[in-house]
Amino acid sequence: MEGLPDAAVLATRLKNTLLQYHSIEDDKWRVAKKMKDVTIWRKPSEEFNGYLFKAQGVIDDVVNNVIDHIRPGPYRLDWDSLMTSLDILEHFEENCCVMRYTTAGQLWNIISPREFVDFSYTVGYKEGLLSCGVSVDWSEKRSEFVRGYNHPCGWFCVPLKDNPDRSLLTGYIQTDLRGMIPQSAVDTAMASTLISFYGDLQKALQKT
């Protein structure tokens, strides 16, 4: 394993960071974009010179199906319109891996294709699940991609109290795309990308 920290230590640290984000008070967030079923907020990130985004919406399916479509695996590439490839580089346990994925260009290719190498971890949370990740150093790079960096990010998914067949999905994303891009372009793209994420995920689940 390419000098990565111990997987159990990294997993615990990552989970605790996401729990901390999940407890940030509502008045610290500012609405970035709102659609009928999904709201995106943002606040300055403490990790880098960009924003921590929060996304929340209701998905019409049970928790396990939702998270199976989000975490690394065969489903994700089928429905996520931004993702162009996904490979598992290291497997630790069933719920823990290092993955490499690539994304398509955005904003009329102002943002060129990116590559990410992330440690991913899925764990129980209350009556639901948390799937979270963070980028790790990986020496092998491909020249056709700019290597982006995901600071701690993740998705909390819990059943709705009054209807357990539907799920409340809350995500925290803070991506440093790197390269020569104005931060304002990144922020615009991120809010729109997160709205699309919910729509694409819901459509994919309706097909299953």
Side-chain angles (χ1 to χ4, degrees):
M1 195 169 77
E2 286 204 0
L4 295 177
D6 177 81
V9 172
L10 189 53
T12 301
R13 193 188 313 150
L14 182 58
K15 175 188 170 186
N16 289 341
T17 300
L18 266 296
L19 289 169
Q20 183 188 332
Y21 294 160
H22 207 39
S23 66
I24 294 172
E25 292 164 5
D26 290 347
D27 62 2
K28 299 284 192 292
W29 299 99
R30 204 179 103 216
V31 173
K33 199 168 178 99
K34 192 170 175 132
M35 301 293 276
K36 186 173 66 136
D37 300 320
V38 184
T39 304
I40 313 297
W41 297 266
R42 71 183 195 187
K43 69 180 288 297
S45 170
E46 294 179 8
E47 300 282 346
F48 77 120
N49 186 28
Y51 286 100
L52 168 63
F53 284 85
K54 174 183 178 179
Q56 190 169 74
V58 173
I59 300 287
D60 289 323
D61 211 327
V62 296
V63 166
N64 281 4
N65 285 351
V66 176
I67 291 296
D68 275 347
H69 277 69
I70 291 175
R71 65 178 165 190
Y75 294 120
R76 182 68 183 264
L77 205 53
D78 285 344
W79 66 266
D80 191 333
S81 56
L82 197 60
M83 203 174 269
T84 51
S85 73
L86 191 159
D87 301 295
I88 306 295
L89 302 177
E90 294 262 6
H91 236 303
F92 306 113
E93 302 163 30
E94 189 186 341
N95 63 343
C96 209
C97 69
V98 173
M99 65 169 177
R100 174 170 56 199
Y101 69 94
T102 55
T103 59
Q106 299 175 68
L107 288 181
W108 306 281
N109 238 32
I110 292 170
I111 300 174
S112 62
R114 291 298 193 266
E115 174 186 70
F116 297 86
V117 177
D118 285 9
F119 174 82
S120 174
Y121 176 54
T122 302
V123 65
Y125 168 75
K126 295 190 174 175
E127 304 85 36
L129 290 165
L130 162 64
S131 184
C132 48
V134 64
S135 286
V136 291
D137 290 326
W138 196 266
S139 55
E140 182 200 338
K141 291 188 178 171
R142 293 180 284 189
S143 58
E144 65 269 35
F145 294 101
V146 174
R147 175 70 63 82
Y149 191 92
N150 284 314
H151 295 278
C153 55
W155 296 91
F156 290 87
C157 191
V158 294
L160 289 185
K161 288 187 173 62
D162 57 348
N163 186 352
D165 290 337
R166 303 177 79 208
S167 302
L168 181 67
L169 181 64
T170 308
Y172 297 90
I173 307 293
Q174 47 186 343
T175 300
D176 186 351
L177 291 174
R178 297 184 170 168
M180 306 297 289
I181 315 170
Q183 190 62 41
S184 58
V186 175
D187 297 337
T188 300
M190 191 61 72
S192 299
T193 297
L194 286 167
I195 294 280
S196 300
F197 181 94
Y198 277 79
D200 290 347
L201 174 59
Q202 186 64 76
K203 281 182 204 150
L205 286 162
Q206 282 165 351
K207 289 180 192 168
T208 57

Coordinates of all heavy atoms in Angstrom, one line a residue, residues 156-206:
F156 N -24.5 11.0 4.2 CA -25.3 10.3 5.3 C -26.7 10.0 4.7 O -27.3 10.8 4.0 CB -25.6 11.3 6.4 CG -24.3 11.7 7.2 CD1 -23.5 12.7 6.9 CD2 -24.1 11.0 8.4 CE1 -22.4 13.0 7.6 CE2 -22.9 11.3 9.2 CZ -22.1 12.3 8.8
C157 N -27.1 8.8 4.9 CA -28.4 8.3 4.4 C -29.2 7.6 5.5 O -28.7 6.6 6.0 CB -28.2 7.4 3.2 SG -29.7 7.1 2.2
V158 N -30.3 8.2 5.8 CA -31.2 7.6 6.9 C -32.6 7.5 6.4 O -33.1 8.3 5.6 CB -31.1 8.4 8.2 CG1 -29.7 8.4 8.8 CG2 -31.6 9.9 7.9
P159 N -33.4 6.5 6.9 CA -34.8 6.4 6.5 C -35.6 7.5 7.0 O -35.3 8.0 8.1 CB -35.2 5.0 7.1 CG -34.2 4.7 8.1 CD -32.9 5.4 7.8
L160 N -36.6 8.0 6.3 CA -37.5 9.0 6.8 C -38.3 8.4 7.9 O -38.8 7.2 7.8 CB -38.5 9.5 5.7 CG -37.9 10.4 4.6 CD1 -39.0 10.8 3.7 CD2 -37.1 11.6 5.2
K161 N -38.5 9.1 9.0 CA -39.2 8.6 10.1 C -40.6 8.1 9.8 O -41.1 7.1 10.3 CB -39.3 9.6 11.3 CG -37.9 9.8 11.9 CD -38.0 10.7 13.1 CE -36.7 10.8 13.9 NZ -35.6 11.4 13.2
D162 N -41.3 8.9 9.0 CA -42.7 8.6 8.7 C -42.9 7.7 7.5 O -44.0 7.3 7.1 CB -43.5 9.9 8.5 CG -42.9 10.8 7.4 OD1 -41.8 10.5 6.9 OD2 -43.6 11.7 6.9
N163 N -41.8 7.4 6.8 CA -41.8 6.5 5.6 C -40.5 5.9 5.3 O -39.7 6.4 4.5 CB -42.3 7.3 4.4 CG -42.5 6.5 3.2 OD1 -42.2 5.3 3.2 ND2 -43.1 7.0 2.1
P164 N -40.2 4.8 6.0 CA -38.8 4.2 5.8 C -38.5 3.7 4.4 O -37.3 3.3 4.2 CB -38.9 3.0 6.8 CG -40.3 2.8 7.2 CD -41.0 4.1 6.9
D165 N -39.4 3.7 3.5 CA -39.1 3.3 2.1 C -38.5 4.5 1.4 O -38.1 4.3 0.2 CB -40.4 2.8 1.4 CG -40.8 1.5 1.9 OD1 -40.0 0.7 2.5 OD2 -42.0 1.2 1.8
R166 N -38.5 5.6 2.0 CA -37.8 6.8 1.4 C -36.7 7.2 2.3 O -36.7 6.9 3.5 CB -38.8 8.0 1.2 CG -40.0 7.6 0.4 CD -41.0 8.8 0.3 NE -40.6 9.8 -0.6 CZ -40.9 11.1 -0.5 NH1 -41.6 11.5 0.5 NH2 -40.5 11.9 -1.5
S167 N -35.7 7.9 1.8 CA -34.4 8.2 2.5 C -34.1 9.7 2.4 O -34.2 10.3 1.4 CB -33.3 7.4 2.0 OG -33.5 6.0 2.0
L168 N -33.6 10.2 3.6 CA -33.0 11.5 3.6 C -31.5 11.4 3.3 O -30.8 10.8 4.1 CB -33.3 12.2 4.9 CG -32.7 13.6 5.0 CD1 -33.5 14.6 4.1 CD2 -32.8 14.1 6.5
L169 N -31.1 12.0 2.2 CA -29.7 11.9 1.8 C -29.0 13.3 2.0 O -29.5 14.3 1.4 CB -29.6 11.5 0.4 CG -28.2 11.3 -0.2 CD1 -27.4 10.2 0.5 CD2 -28.2 11.0 -1.7
T170 N -28.0 13.3 2.9 CA -27.3 14.6 3.1 C -25.8 14.4 2.8 O -25.1 13.5 3.4 CB -27.4 15.0 4.6 OG1 -28.8 15.0 5.0 CG2 -26.8 16.3 4.9
G171 N -25.3 15.3 1.9 CA -23.9 15.1 1.5 C -23.0 16.3 1.9 O -23.5 17.5 2.0
Y172 N -21.8 16.1 2.1 CA -20.8 17.1 2.4 C -19.6 17.0 1.4 O -19.0 15.9 1.4 CB -20.3 17.0 3.9 CG -21.4 17.3 4.8 CD1 -22.1 16.2 5.3 CD2 -21.7 18.5 5.3 CE1 -23.2 16.4 6.2 CE2 -22.8 18.7 6.1 CZ -23.5 17.7 6.6 OH -24.6 17.8 7.5
I173 N -19.4 18.0 0.6 CA -18.4 17.9 -0.5 C -17.5 19.1 -0.4 O -18.0 20.2 -0.3 CB -19.1 17.8 -1.8 CG1 -20.2 16.7 -1.9 CG2 -18.1 17.7 -3.0 CD1 -19.6 15.3 -1.8
Q174 N -16.2 18.9 -0.5 CA -15.2 20.0 -0.6 C -14.1 19.5 -1.5 O -13.2 18.8 -1.1 CB -14.7 20.5 0.7 CG -14.3 19.4 1.7 CD -14.0 20.0 3.1 OE1 -13.8 21.2 3.3 NE2 -13.9 19.1 4.1
T175 N -14.2 19.9 -2.8 CA -13.3 19.4 -3.8 C -12.4 20.5 -4.3 O -12.8 21.6 -4.7 CB -14.1 18.8 -5.0 OG1 -14.9 17.7 -4.5 CG2 -13.1 18.3 -6.1
D176 N -11.1 20.2 -4.2 CA -10.1 21.2 -4.8 C -9.7 20.6 -6.2 O -9.0 19.6 -6.3 CB -8.8 21.2 -3.9 CG -7.8 22.3 -4.4 OD1 -8.0 22.8 -5.5 OD2 -6.8 22.5 -3.6
L177 N -10.3 21.3 -7.2 CA -10.0 20.8 -8.6 C -8.6 21.0 -9.1 O -8.2 20.4 -10.0 CB -11.1 21.4 -9.6 CG -12.5 21.0 -9.3 CD1 -13.4 21.7 -10.2 CD2 -12.7 19.5 -9.6
R178 N -7.9 21.9 -8.4 CA -6.5 22.3 -8.8 C -6.5 22.7 -10.3 O -7.5 22.8 -11.0 CB -5.6 21.1 -8.5 CG -5.6 20.9 -6.9 CD -4.6 19.8 -6.5 NE -4.5 19.9 -5.0 CZ -3.9 18.9 -4.3 NH1 -3.4 17.9 -4.9 NH2 -3.9 19.0 -3.0
G179 N -5.3 23.0 -10.7 CA -5.2 23.6 -12.1 C -5.5 25.1 -12.1 O -5.8 25.7 -11.0
M180 N -5.5 25.7 -13.2 CA -5.7 27.1 -13.3 C -7.2 27.5 -13.6 O -7.6 27.8 -14.7 CB -4.9 27.7 -14.5 CG -3.4 27.3 -14.4 SD -2.6 28.0 -13.0 CE -2.6 29.7 -13.4
I181 N -8.0 27.3 -12.5 CA -9.4 27.6 -12.7 C -9.8 28.7 -11.6 O -9.5 28.6 -10.5 CB -10.3 26.4 -12.4 CG1 -9.7 25.2 -13.1 CG2 -11.7 26.6 -12.8 CD1 -10.4 23.9 -12.6
P182 N -10.6 29.7 -12.1 CA -11.1 30.7 -11.1 C -12.0 29.9 -10.1 O -12.8 29.1 -10.5 CB -11.9 31.7 -11.9 CG -11.6 31.4 -13.3 CD -11.0 30.0 -13.4
Q183 N -11.8 30.3 -8.8 CA -12.6 29.6 -7.7 C -14.1 29.8 -8.0 O -14.9 29.0 -7.7 CB -12.2 30.1 -6.3 CG -12.8 29.3 -5.2 CD -12.4 27.9 -5.2 OE1 -11.2 27.5 -5.4 NE2 -13.3 27.0 -4.9
S184 N -14.5 31.0 -8.5 CA -15.9 31.3 -8.7 C -16.5 30.3 -9.7 O -17.7 29.9 -9.6 CB -16.1 32.7 -9.3 OG -15.4 32.9 -10.4
A185 N -15.7 29.9 -10.7 CA -16.2 28.9 -11.7 C -16.4 27.5 -11.1 O -17.4 26.8 -11.3 CB -15.2 28.8 -12.9
V186 N -15.5 27.2 -10.2 CA -15.6 25.9 -9.4 C -16.9 25.9 -8.6 O -17.6 25.0 -8.6 CB -14.4 25.7 -8.5 CG1 -14.5 24.4 -7.7 CG2 -13.1 25.6 -9.4
D187 N -17.1 27.0 -7.9 CA -18.3 27.1 -7.0 C -19.6 27.0 -7.8 O -20.5 26.4 -7.3 CB -18.3 28.4 -6.2 CG -17.0 28.5 -5.3 OD1 -16.5 27.5 -5.0 OD2 -16.6 29.6 -4.9
T188 N -19.7 27.7 -8.9 CA -20.9 27.6 -9.8 C -21.1 26.2 -10.2 O -22.2 25.7 -10.2 CB -20.7 28.5 -11.0 OG1 -20.5 29.8 -10.6 CG2 -21.9 28.5 -11.9
A189 N -20.0 25.5 -10.7 CA -20.1 24.2 -11.2 C -20.5 23.2 -10.1 O -21.4 22.3 -10.3 CB -18.8 23.7 -11.8
M190 N -20.0 23.4 -8.9 CA -20.3 22.5 -7.8 C -21.7 22.4 -7.4 O -22.3 21.4 -7.2 CB -19.4 22.8 -6.6 CG -19.4 21.8 -5.5 SD -18.7 20.2 -6.1 CE -17.0 20.6 -6.3
A191 N -22.3 23.6 -7.2 CA -23.7 23.6 -6.8 C -24.6 23.0 -7.9 O -25.5 22.2 -7.5 CB -24.2 25.1 -6.6
S192 N -24.4 23.2 -9.1 CA -25.2 22.6 -10.2 C -24.9 21.1 -10.3 O -25.9 20.4 -10.5 CB -24.8 23.3 -11.6 OG -25.1 24.7 -11.5
T193 N -23.7 20.7 -10.1 CA -23.3 19.3 -10.2 C -24.0 18.5 -9.1 O -24.5 17.4 -9.3 CB -21.8 19.1 -10.0 OG1 -21.1 19.8 -11.1 CG2 -21.4 17.7 -10.0
L194 N -24.1 19.1 -7.9 CA -24.8 18.4 -6.8 C -26.3 18.3 -7.0 O -26.9 17.3 -6.7 CB -24.5 19.1 -5.5 CG -23.1 18.9 -4.9 CD1 -22.8 19.9 -3.8 CD2 -22.9 17.5 -4.4
I195 N -26.9 19.3 -7.6 CA -28.3 19.2 -8.0 C -28.5 18.1 -9.0 O -29.4 17.2 -8.8 CB -28.9 20.5 -8.6 CG1 -28.8 21.7 -7.5 CG2 -30.2 20.4 -9.2 CD1 -30.0 21.7 -6.5
S196 N -27.7 18.0 -10.0 CA -27.8 17.0 -11.0 C -27.6 15.6 -10.4 O -28.2 14.6 -10.8 CB -26.7 17.2 -12.1 OG -26.9 18.4 -12.7
F197 N -26.7 15.5 -9.4 CA -26.3 14.2 -8.8 C -27.6 13.6 -8.2 O -27.9 12.4 -8.4 CB -25.3 14.5 -7.6 CG -24.9 13.3 -6.9 CD1 -23.7 12.6 -7.2 CD2 -25.6 12.9 -5.8 CE1 -23.3 11.5 -6.5 CE2 -25.1 11.8 -5.0 CZ -24.0 11.1 -5.4
Y198 N -28.4 14.4 -7.5 CA -29.7 13.9 -6.9 C -30.6 13.4 -8.0 O -31.3 12.3 -7.9 CB -30.4 14.9 -6.1 CG -29.8 15.0 -4.7 CD1 -28.6 15.7 -4.4 CD2 -30.5 14.4 -3.6 CE1 -28.1 15.8 -3.1 CE2 -29.9 14.5 -2.3 CZ -28.8 15.2 -2.1 OH -28.2 15.2 -0.8
G199 N -30.8 14.2 -9.1 CA -31.7 13.8 -10.2 C -31.3 12.6 -10.9 O -32.1 11.7 -11.1
D200 N -30.0 12.5 -11.1 CA -29.4 11.3 -11.8 C -29.6 10.0 -10.9 O -29.9 8.9 -11.4 CB -28.0 11.5 -12.2 CG -27.8 12.5 -13.3 OD1 -28.8 12.9 -14.0 OD2 -26.6 12.9 -13.5
L201 N -29.3 10.2 -9.7 CA -29.4 9.1 -8.7 C -30.8 8.6 -8.6 O -31.1 7.4 -8.7 CB -28.9 9.5 -7.3 CG -29.1 8.5 -6.2 CD1 -28.3 7.2 -6.5 CD2 -28.5 9.2 -4.9
Q202 N -31.8 9.5 -8.5 CA -33.2 9.1 -8.4 C -33.7 8.4 -9.7 O -34.3 7.3 -9.6 CB -34.1 10.4 -8.2 CG -35.6 10.1 -8.0 CD -35.8 9.3 -6.7 OE1 -35.7 9.8 -5.6 NE2 -36.0 8.0 -6.8
K203 N -33.2 8.9 -10.8 CA -33.6 8.2 -12.1 C -33.0 6.8 -12.1 O -33.7 5.8 -12.6 CB -33.1 9.0 -13.3 CG -33.9 10.2 -13.6 CD -33.3 10.9 -14.9 CE -33.8 12.3 -14.9 NZ -32.8 13.2 -15.5
A204 N -31.8 6.6 -11.7 CA -31.1 5.3 -11.7 C -31.9 4.3 -10.8 O -32.1 3.2 -11.1 CB -29.7 5.4 -11.3
L205 N -32.3 4.8 -9.6 CA -33.0 4.0 -8.6 C -34.3 3.5 -9.1 O -34.8 2.4 -8.8 CB -33.1 4.7 -7.3 CG -31.7 4.8 -6.5 CD1 -31.8 5.8 -5.4 CD2 -31.4 3.4 -5.9
Q206 N -35.0 4.4 -9.9 CA -36.3 4.1 -10.4 C -36.2 2.9 -11.4 O -37.2 2.2 -11.7 CB -37.0 5.3 -11.1 CG -37.5 6.3 -10.0 CD -37.9 7.6 -10.6 OE1 -37.5 8.0 -11.7 NE2 -38.5 8.5 -9.7

